[in-house]
Amino acid sequence: HCSNCGDVFPEVRNKEDLSAGKWDHSCPVCQKALDPVPSMEDQPLSPASCYAITKHNQEELLSFFSYTFNVPAVALRFQNVYGPGQSLTNPYTGILSIFNTRISADNPVFIYEDGKETRDFVYIEDVVQSICLALENQKIVGVCSKN
């Protein structure tokens, strides 16, 4: 969010800024510093990594299949799920596993950039509830971003 321009959507940070240690995004209109805010469901898609691009493409394929064949489908995006019974030694548990492994081995935990990056964590019971709600939703057939 820009105090002058409102909600804006900056592009991927450029190499010059990264090389200079400038980690924060600037307003693409007035160049003022931005205040980070949670993502909005209606914001423009702008995948910024190969991983993000493949996830977006998978959602588009699912959406196209659902629309074309009138098959119910929904894509749910879970990031950093945590809760009871979680293995902290499994590399697929993400940052929690990485931190746990490094701390348990008396190795330092590396902090990149300025250490102010954020991550979304979601509790397992909230994930289960969202899956149940999605399965019960009768409005998910034929939802497609294409006309």
Side-chain angles (χ1 to χ4, degrees):
H1 181 82
C2 174
S3 59
N4 284 343
C5 304
D7 291 331
V8 295
F9 305 99
E11 296 293 320
V12 174
R13 297 175 297 177
N14 63 48
K15 291 179 183 179
E16 294 78 24
D17 286 347
L18 295 176
S19 294
K22 183 179 177 202
W23 311 119
D24 297 327
H25 286 284
S26 298
C27 177
V29 178
C30 71
Q31 306 308 313
K32 281 189 72 172
L34 296 173
D35 294 316
V37 295
S39 299
M40 295 172 276
E41 287 295 323
D42 61 349
Q43 77 184 51
L45 287 175
S46 182
S49 69
C50 289
Y51 179 81
I53 291 167
T54 62
K55 293 299 163 194
H56 177 249
N57 288 346
Q58 291 166 3
E59 288 182 12
E60 287 294 311
L61 286 167
L62 177 66
S63 182
F64 179 77
F65 181 86
S66 173
Y67 180 78
T68 302
F69 296 103
N70 200 35
V71 175
V74 64
L76 303 174
R77 300 176 189 156
F78 303 123
Q79 182 68 26
N80 295 317
V81 178
Y82 70 96
Q86 177 176 2
S87 169
L88 294 178
T89 58
N90 182 334
Y92 293 101
T93 58
I95 195 68
L96 297 176
S97 172
I98 294 168
F99 282 1
N100 180 64
T101 301
R102 296 202 61 79
I103 291 168
S104 296
D106 289 325
N107 289 324
V109 173
F110 295 109
I111 305 296
Y112 296 98
E113 298 184 4
D114 59 5
K116 295 180 183 176
E117 63 272 354
T118 60
R119 295 288 181 264
D120 291 325
F121 289 87
V122 60
Y123 190 63
I124 186 64
E125 289 181 11
D126 295 327
V127 169
V128 171
Q129 182 184 20
S130 67
I131 292 169
C132 290
L133 288 170
L135 290 172
E136 294 166 2
N137 188 336
Q138 300 298 311
K139 299 177 183 177
I140 60 174
V141 177
V143 176
C144 187
S145 62
K146 307 285 186 223
N147 290 330

